[in-house]
Amino acid sequence: MTRAKSLRVYVPVLHRDLDEVLTGTREVTGFGPDRNARALTGEALEEAEWFALDVAAGSIAGPAAQARSPRCVVACDAPGDLAATALVDGVEAVGPFALTAAEVVSFHVDDPAVTDGLPEDPATAADVLAAEALLWFDATELETVRELHAQN
């Protein structure tokens, strides 16, 4: 039996839930380019993946503001045969699947300079988060990602 090709997906989580998510004991859903976008190559595929990352980051802005926990989007390779549901033009929700640290490609996390200065109102804080870019960390920098928002 051959395994379907893997897909690059972006899993939005609250920073405080990151370690639990990486144990593989909690199923997650990722955001990835849809079938048409996955057929792209080069820069066009990279743009489709960045768009999926942006949609994932936006999807967790409200919950992050409500919980007062920074956003973390985990880029990973998920099995290519997972169920997918269209979200917006070019992006699908993929999963559910179990995620472990072995599948992680990179982490994308809120800048502490942004989260430390968030307004108290959750709706306004969510708008601020949604407008901000995330910091990029390699998969080997998990400890740095953990420490970045250790108090949250």
Side-chain angles (χ1 to χ4, degrees):
M1 179 171 111
T2 58
R3 184 85 180 160
K5 183 180 174 188
S6 66
L7 329 166
R8 179 66 41 90
V9 298
Y10 302 89
V11 178
V13 299
L14 297 177
H15 188 275
R16 68 179 186 198
D17 297 335
L18 180 60
D19 284 329
E20 177 189 353
V21 166
L22 294 178
T23 64
T25 58
R26 176 176 156 187
E27 289 198 321
V28 297
T29 298
F31 293 59
D34 67 14
R35 182 173 309 282
N36 292 333
R38 287 193 306 268
L40 300 171
T41 60
E43 285 185 33
L45 178 58
E46 285 182 30
E47 287 179 19
E49 289 177 343
W50 277 109
F51 182 57
L53 168 63
D54 190 52
V55 172
S59 77
I60 196 87
Q66 191 71 34
R68 305 301 288 179
S69 178
R71 298 173 297 167
C72 183
V73 177
V74 181
C76 63
D77 291 326
D81 56 356
L82 294 171
T85 305
L87 292 175
V88 296
D89 191 30
V91 177
E92 297 175 329
V94 179
F97 64 98
L99 173 63
T100 65
E103 290 94 21
V104 174
V105 175
S106 60
F107 299 97
H108 306 266
V109 185
D110 278 316
D111 186 333
V114 172
T115 57
D116 290 348
L118 284 177
E120 290 297 319
D121 174 59
T124 305
D127 289 344
V128 169
L129 288 176
E132 291 293 328
L134 302 175
L135 302 175
W136 180 92
F137 294 89
D138 185 74
T140 61
E141 297 178 286
L142 176 57
E143 193 56 39
T144 302
V145 170
R146 285 180 177 131
E147 292 171 1
L148 192 62
H149 294 284
Q151 72 281 6
N152 297 346

